[in-house]
């Protein structure tokens, strides 16, 4: 057989995932010589082989690659013959532009779990056991390439035993960067709420005792701290709610295993798959009609519960001993990002009783991911740990290096170059100085790691979004800059068009679509707050072919939290000052004096921006039916209406549709006459589907694409798929504003010219 030399280049998530030892093992199987190395673009293999062996080798790569790897592309070319004595793994070369992906943090693998509970194993009960196929990644990375020296593990000197595993290509811990053990790796510490070290020799036992005693323990996890308490202890949960000023927003619950999960919720095959996937997200599930153990305070008035499985060895050790569900909610101050350090956590000193701390730094914060399954489709509500950062292939090439700044709520950011986008994890709402700082840090991290400088910055059209202000600061340049920076071009995008673009990118759609964006509020081209939009779109632009008739948001931003203001505004639209004497849940939620003030506001248009938002329409319905007048968390009204929906109710409410404008006042009139709340809610849901049908029938040759925060509503999604089985909604990115950054990058796409 004639041997030739081949150069194979592989791109994708191929670093820090055990790719080189995998190739090394293949070289032993196929008895070939050469070498394998990481470079800034991926993995490179030099191989001396005959053509048949080469083929087998390539097939093996394609079908057997390590569990955490993803392959974007394999390139193979024959080069000038070179001689190799054997097959070697070559150390990382650092240079040039970085295009490899940062691997996300994943849960502990089965092999490590087995060792964790094996009394004979030297890492038995070690809370940071890990291997090449599992554990922390993104959250400990300062820089690429992904080597121990570029992570917060650099502060731990490996012991001899660990080093032997780390350097043996055939060991399952070969180059596992976070490798460590009782002798050399990170260690736990227990701290009380005034900062005293109260560690004991058996910290886990102590923590379990504290939890069973009703204490709130803040536990340092992967991308931040959790606040944890016994989920079966109503008093503890009440204490947590009171201390965290969180009266009713549901808490997520961590359960030991699938058996415990199944005691608490109805779980489909698909849901089980997601729960136990290596990403271990929080999955929103149907609670079992009678909670066996859980007090309703975990998720008041809501029949769904967010469950997740332990994803670190530390969680496993706690839950193994505790053997009951744990409330596990992100440790953060309202409107602030998740706490990632003990100093940051000090702000919550009044909330927790103890902190389970350890000495491995969290470099990049990352929340838990949240998703649900509707009609066998995965709907991501928060894309973070396990899923992010992520690289997405674009359907076309970008014109410029693009930085996309996202929106103001549920923010994510993205950088785009070539035909690729890297999307950050969920950053959160940009409503506080702390959150804006965290936002800027995330942008800087992406820029640094990817050695990226934007030529274009894309931001939302809304002038008062923090992201838009950030864009302006970048374009104007910071004051003390000595060197001349290349000019950055700013591009602004319309919020709802961007929502649809995000789905088009995810689904690699190339032509025109009919987009429906049902959303909270986003800034429109006319300065009004859009959110019930029908658009014909492609990458070049959009035409707004329909929308919900404008109504006034009395009190502006206040109306977004107070459904009663939106409902009252619609009542004024219908009955003018006669609404003042009406007796219904909405008017009764105001004092007489308040009603008069609101009326004057409505009449004169004072602090009353116009809106076409379907999100606000949900609010209005909730108020008119007397089920929610003021919300304690975003999306509460929609959740309550979801609960009241009854699938056996038929029919919908009439609305008008003229010249692209959907008039909703007839719906309000009908709602006021409806005696049964459940009938009213159910018909309202059907009415929304009917609206989509009416506008879509004028454009039904185009694919139907839907996005926006309102499509997080399970009932609406179910009805949508029932009526339009072909409807396209986002599955890999959130329909809420977490998907905006992806759409913003798409504005810079350069579709191929039609020849
Ligand atoms: Zn492992
Ligand atoms: Zn060690």
């Amino acid at each position: 057989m004639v041997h030739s030399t081949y150069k194979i280049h592989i791109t994708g998530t191929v670093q820090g995932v055990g790719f080189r030892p995998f190739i090394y093992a293949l070289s032993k199987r196929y008895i070939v010589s050469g070498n394998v190395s990481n470079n800034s673009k991926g993995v490179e293999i030099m191989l001396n082989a005959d053509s048949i062996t080469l083929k087998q080798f390539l097939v093996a790569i394609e079908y057997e690659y390590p569990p955490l790897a993803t392959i974007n592309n394999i390139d193979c070319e024959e080069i000038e013959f070179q001689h190799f004595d054997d097959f070697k793994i070559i150390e990382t070369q650092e240079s040039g532009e970085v295009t490899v992906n940062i691997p996300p943090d994943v849960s502990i693998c089965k092999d490590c779990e087995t060792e964790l509970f094996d009394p004979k194993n030297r890492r038995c009960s070690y809370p940071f056991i890990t291997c090449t196929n599992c554990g922390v990644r993104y959250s400990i990375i300062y820089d690429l390439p992904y080597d121990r020296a570029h992570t917060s593990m650099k502060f731990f000197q490996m012991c001899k035993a660990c080093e032997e595993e780390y350097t043996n290509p055939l060991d399952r811990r070969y180059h596992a960067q976070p490798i460590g053990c009782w002798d050399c790796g990170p260690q736990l510490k227990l701290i009380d709420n005034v900062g005293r070290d109260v560690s004991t020799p058996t910290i886990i036992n102590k923590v379990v005792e504290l939890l069973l005693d009703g204490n709130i323990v803040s536990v340092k996890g992967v991308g931040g701290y959790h606040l944890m308490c016994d989920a079966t202890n109503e008093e503890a949960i009440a204490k947590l709610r009171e201390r965290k000023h969180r009266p009713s927003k549901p808490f997520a619950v961590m359960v030991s295993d699938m058996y415990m999960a199944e005691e608490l919720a109805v779980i489909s095959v698909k849901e089980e798959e997601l729960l136990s996937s290596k990403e271990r997200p929080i999955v929103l599930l149907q609670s079992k009609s009678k909670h066996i153990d859980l007090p309703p305070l975990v998720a008041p008035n809501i029949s769904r519960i967010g469950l997740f499985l332990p994803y670190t060895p530390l969680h496993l050790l706690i839950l193994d001993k505790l053997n009951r569900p744990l409330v596990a909610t992100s440790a953060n101050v309202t409107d602030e990002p998740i706490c990632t350090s003990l100093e940051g956590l000090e702000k919550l000193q009044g909330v927790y009783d103890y902190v389970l701390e350890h000495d491995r730094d969290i470099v990049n914060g990352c929340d838990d991911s949240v998703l649900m399954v509707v009609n066998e489709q995965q709907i991501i509500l928060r894309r973070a740990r396990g899923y992010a950062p992520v690289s997405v292939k674009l359907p076309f090439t970008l014109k410029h290096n693009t930085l996309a700044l996202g929106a103001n709520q549920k923010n994510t950011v993205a950088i785009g170059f070539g035909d690729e986008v890297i999307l950050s994890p969920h950053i959160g709402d940009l409503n506080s100085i702390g959150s804006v700082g965290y936002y800027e840090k995330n942008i800087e991290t992406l820029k640094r790691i990817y050695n990226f400088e934007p030529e274009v910055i894309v931001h939302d059209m809304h002038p008062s979004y923090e992201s838009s202000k950030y864009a302006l600061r970048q374009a104007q340049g910071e004051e003390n800059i000595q060197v001349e920076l290349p000019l950055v071009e700013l591009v602004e995008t319309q919020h709802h068009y961007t929502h649809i673009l995000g789905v088009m990118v995810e689904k690699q759609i190339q032509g025109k679509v009919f987009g429906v964006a049902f959303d909270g509020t986003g800034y429109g081209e006319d300065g009004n707050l859009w959110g019930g939009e029908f658009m014909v779109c492609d990458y070049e632009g959009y035409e707004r072919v329909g929308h919900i008739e404008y109504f006034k948001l009395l009190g502006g931003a206040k109306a977004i939290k107070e459904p009663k203001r939106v409902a009252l505004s619609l009542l004024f639209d219908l009955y003018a000052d006669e609404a003042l004497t009406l007796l219904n849940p909405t008017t009764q939620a105001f004092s007489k004096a308040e009603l008069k003030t609101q009326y004057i506001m409505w009449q004169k248009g004072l602090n009353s921006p116009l809106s076409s938002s379907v999100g606000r329409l949900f609010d209005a319905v909730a108020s008119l039916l007397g089920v929610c007048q003021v919300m304690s968390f975003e999306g509460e009204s929609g959740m309550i209406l979801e609960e009241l929906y009854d699938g056996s109710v038929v029919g919908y409410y009439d609305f008008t549709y003229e010249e692209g404008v959907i008039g909703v006042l007839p719906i309000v009139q009908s709602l006021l006459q409806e005696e049964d709340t459940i009938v009213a809610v159910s018909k309202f849901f059907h009415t929304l589907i009917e609206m989509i049908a009416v506008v879509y029938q004028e454009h039904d040759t185009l694919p139907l694409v839907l996005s926006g925060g309102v499509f997080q509503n399970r009932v609406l999604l179910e009805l949508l798929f029932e009526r339009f089985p072909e409807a396209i909604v986002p599955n890999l990115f959130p329909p809420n504003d977490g998907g905006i950054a992806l759409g913003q990058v798409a504005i810079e796409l350069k579709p191929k010219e039609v020849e």
Side-chain angles (χ1 to χ4, degrees):
M1 278 283 184
V2 187
H3 278 230
S4 311
T5 304
Y6 298 94
K7 188 159 114 182
I8 303 166
H9 196 259
I10 305 168
T11 58
T13 306
V14 290
Q15 292 189 7
V17 292
F19 216 92
R20 288 178 303 165
F22 157 69
I23 297 295
Y24 181 86
L26 286 186
S27 79
K28 299 285 167 231
R29 186 197 301 172
Y30 293 104
I31 321 172
V32 288
S33 61
N35 61 51
V36 58
S37 59
N38 277 343
N39 64 18
S40 62
K41 296 198 162 60
V43 161
E44 192 172 275
I45 305 163
M46 304 289 264
L47 200 66
N48 272 357
D50 60 69
S51 59
I52 293 171
T53 310
L54 173 76
K55 226 177 229 163
Q56 291 170 331
F57 198 89
L58 290 174
V59 169
I61 293 175
E62 209 175 321
Y63 287 97
E64 298 175 30
Y65 61 85
L68 297 190
T70 52
I71 294 180
N72 288 351
N73 195 38
I74 304 179
D75 253 351
C76 179
E77 55 171 336
E78 189 178 337
I79 56 171
E80 202 176 309
F81 184 79
Q82 291 179 37
H83 174 77
F84 301 103
D85 288 329
D86 51 9
F87 196 93
K88 276 202 176 66
I89 295 179
I90 296 180
E91 286 310 303
T92 303
Q93 310 150 8
E94 279 181 60
S95 68
E97 188 191 339
V98 182
T99 61
V100 290
N101 303 329
I102 312 176
D105 303 295
V106 295
S107 61
I108 178 171
C109 72
K110 275 280 157 235
D111 291 339
C112 286
E113 190 176 334
T114 307
E115 287 186 10
L116 182 68
F117 293 107
D118 174 7
K120 290 197 283 288
N121 192 281
R122 73 182 186 94
R123 290 193 181 85
C124 179
S125 300
Y126 179 58
F128 304 96
I129 187 171
T130 183
C131 74
T132 311
N133 294 331
C134 77
V136 288
R137 297 286 186 276
Y138 169 72
S139 61
I140 59 162
I141 291 179
Y142 295 105
D143 240 317
L144 285 182
Y146 175 57
D147 272 337
R148 191 164 167 114
H150 289 144
T151 71
S152 56
M153 284 304 293
K154 68 179 173 184
F155 304 109
F156 299 90
Q157 176 76 40
M158 266 182 257
C159 70
K160 207 154 169 19
C162 283
E163 192 165 358
E164 261 165 34
E165 295 168 316
Y166 183 84
T167 49
N168 174 6
L170 297 175
D171 192 280
R172 67 182 195 88
R173 293 199 167 86
Y174 176 74
H175 277 214
Q177 308 303 348
I179 190 176
C181 71
W182 286 111
D183 293 332
C184 69
Q187 308 294 335
L188 293 177
K189 196 173 168 186
L190 187 64
I191 297 171
D192 71 8
N193 62 355
V194 289
R196 284 178 306 209
D197 187 339
V198 291
S199 303
T200 63
T202 51
I203 288 187
I204 300 282
N205 290 349
K206 178 77 189 164
V207 165
V208 168
E209 241 172 67
L210 291 170
L211 288 166
L212 289 174
D213 276 351
N215 287 288
I216 295 164
V217 182
S218 179
V219 177
K220 188 173 183 179
V222 167
Y225 290 75
H226 280 122
L227 293 167
M228 292 188 169
C229 72
D230 179 355
T232 64
N233 183 335
E234 187 160 14
E235 235 172 87
I237 301 168
K239 187 164 73 175
L240 178 57
R241 287 211 174 276
E242 198 195 316
R243 290 183 185 174
K244 218 181 168 222
H245 310 294
R246 180 162 153 163
S248 55
K249 192 176 176 187
F251 282 135
V253 172
M254 192 182 269
V255 287
S256 311
D257 49 31
M258 280 310 298
Y259 298 108
M260 193 182 278
E262 273 165 354
E263 279 177 31
L264 302 176
V266 184
I267 302 171
S268 71
V269 175
K270 173 97 181 163
E271 287 165 336
E272 176 171 350
E273 222 171 78
L274 290 165
L275 270 174
S276 52
S277 67
K278 65 181 193 299
E279 290 84 5
R280 298 276 158 95
I282 296 171
V283 182
L284 302 185
L285 301 160
Q286 179 66 51
S287 304
K288 288 226 163 131
S289 49
K290 267 195 193 129
H291 285 161
I292 302 166
D293 289 311
L294 298 194
L297 206 52
V298 171
N301 307 319
I302 284 173
S303 64
R304 309 202 74 82
I305 184 162
L307 295 185
F308 59 148
L309 294 176
Y311 52 86
T312 68
L314 179 58
H315 297 146
L316 275 173
L317 291 169
I318 295 174
L319 279 152
D320 176 61
K321 290 235 158 60
L322 190 74
N323 199 24
R324 60 177 74 184
L326 259 183
V327 162
T329 185
S330 292
N332 68 311
V333 179
T334 309
D335 280 344
E336 298 264 336
I338 185 168
C339 296
T340 55
S341 69
L342 205 52
E343 297 82 68
L345 196 67
E346 270 169 16
K347 288 185 200 159
L348 289 172
Q349 225 165 28
V351 180
Y352 57 79
D353 300 307
Y354 292 89
V355 186
L356 182 54
E357 172 66 3
H358 61 73
D359 51 358
R360 185 184 64 208
D361 291 343
I362 297 170
V363 180
N364 303 305
C366 199
D367 279 88
D368 292 316
S369 295
V370 184
L371 47 81
M372 64 178 181
V373 176
V374 182
N375 269 39
E376 291 300 293
Q377 289 194 38
Q378 156 188 306
I379 306 289
I380 296 204
L381 306 173
R382 190 204 285 154
R383 198 172 206 292
R385 178 185 48 78
Y387 295 93
V390 67
S391 148
V392 188
K393 268 264 169 290
L394 292 165
F396 304 108
T397 305
L398 289 165
K399 289 179 266 191
H400 303 98
N401 280 354
T402 305
L403 168 65
L405 296 176
N408 220 53
Q409 308 299 117
K410 301 184 172 64
N411 180 282
T412 57
V413 294
I415 56 173
F417 40 82
D419 61 353
E420 200 176 340
V421 186
I422 313 282
L423 195 72
S424 79
H426 166 87
I427 294 171
D429 297 352
L430 306 182
N431 296 334
S432 67
I433 294 169
S435 61
V436 174
Y438 183 69
Y439 170 70
E440 292 182 358
K441 184 180 170 227
N442 266 275
I443 296 172
E444 289 314 313
T445 302
L446 277 183
K447 282 168 67 178
R448 184 187 70 246
I449 291 180
Y450 284 94
N451 196 11
F452 173 90
E453 265 313 317
E455 294 159 322
V456 169
I457 295 182
V458 188
H459 67 98
D460 194 279
M461 204 170 247
H462 202 306
S464 48
Y465 274 7
E466 287 301 332
S467 46
S468 301
K469 293 181 198 163
Y470 175 86
L472 268 183
R473 287 201 296 278
Q474 296 305 302
Q476 287 162 351
E478 309 291 338
E479 274 176 21
N480 305 318
I481 282 178
Q482 314 276 325
V483 285
E484 239 177 81
L485 285 172
L487 274 181
V488 186
E489 190 194 333
L490 293 193
V491 174
E492 55 176 33
T493 62
Q494 201 286 317
H495 191 89
H496 303 99
Y497 170 46
T498 317
H499 265 304
I500 302 302
L501 279 178
V503 191
M504 291 173 68
V505 169
E506 179 193 314
K507 305 289 180 187
Q508 301 271 313
I509 296 172
Q510 312 214 343
K512 271 192 187 333
V513 304
F514 178 74
V516 179
F518 283 179
D519 203 15
T521 51
Y523 203 78
E525 305 264 4
D526 56 5
N528 296 325
L529 297 173
W530 296 7
E533 310 307 313
F534 302 88
M535 304 171 152
V536 172
C537 320
D538 59 19
Y539 294 107
E540 307 283 352
Y542 72 95
E543 187 195 347
R544 189 190 194 200
V545 295
H547 66 88
I548 302 286
E549 186 176 20
Y550 287 130
F551 48 86
K552 288 173 184 163
L553 297 182
L554 300 176
K558 265 194 188 155
I560 292 174
K561 290 192 174 153
E562 299 184 10
K564 61 182 184 180
R565 288 171 179 265
V566 186
L568 187 63
S569 167
L570 289 166
L571 291 177
F572 288 145
D573 283 344
L574 264 176
Y575 305 112
D577 61 347
E578 279 172 38
L580 296 170
T581 54
L582 286 179
L583 268 190
N584 61 43
T586 300
T587 55
Q588 285 167 327
F590 292 92
S591 70
K592 280 265 174 298
E594 281 172 338
L595 279 178
K596 278 207 179 103
T597 321
Q598 297 295 320
Y599 180 67
I600 294 166
M601 226 194 247
W602 173 83
Q603 206 179 21
K604 303 198 167 159
L606 297 171
N607 193 16
S608 300
L610 292 176
S611 178
S612 54
S613 157
V614 173
R616 297 293 79 81
L617 211 51
F618 265 89
D619 292 351
V621 172
S623 166
L624 290 166
L625 298 176
V627 294
C628 184
Q629 302 299 349
V630 175
M631 293 194 282
S632 77
F633 62 92
E634 196 223 331
E636 188 176 9
S637 66
M639 256 187 217
I640 295 172
L641 295 189
E642 227 174 54
E643 290 295 322
L644 293 168
Y645 177 79
D646 178 349
S648 68
V649 176
V650 289
Y652 63 91
Y653 295 125
D654 285 332
F655 52 87
T656 60
Y657 179 56
E658 274 168 51
E659 296 182 18
V661 179
I662 291 177
V664 296
L665 294 181
I667 304 172
V668 177
Q669 259 173 325
S670 310
L671 280 171
L672 290 174
Q673 281 152 25
E674 197 72 71
E675 277 169 17
D676 187 328
T677 305
I678 288 174
V679 171
V681 169
S682 310
K683 283 186 164 180
F684 171 67
F685 273 107
H686 297 158
T687 309
L688 291 173
I689 298 296
E690 213 49 46
M691 288 177 187
I692 296 171
V694 163
V695 190
Y696 184 46
Q697 72 182 10
E698 297 169 357
H699 306 274
D700 62 3
T701 54
L702 300 175
L704 174 62
V705 173
L706 309 97
S707 191
V710 171
F711 288 105
Q712 299 175 97
N713 190 293
R714 166 182 299 271
V715 170
L716 187 64
L717 282 171
E718 280 169 354
L719 293 172
L720 175 76
F721 293 131
E722 211 173 276
R723 180 73 169 265
F724 307 101
E726 308 298 317
I728 300 168
V729 301
N731 300 117
L732 301 178
F733 303 93
N736 60 46
D737 286 1
I740 285 285
L742 186 65
Q744 285 175 336
V745 170
I747 209 90
E748 277 296 301
L749 283 179
K750 189 181 181 169
K752 292 199 180 74
E753 304 284 317
V754 183
E755 279 163 33

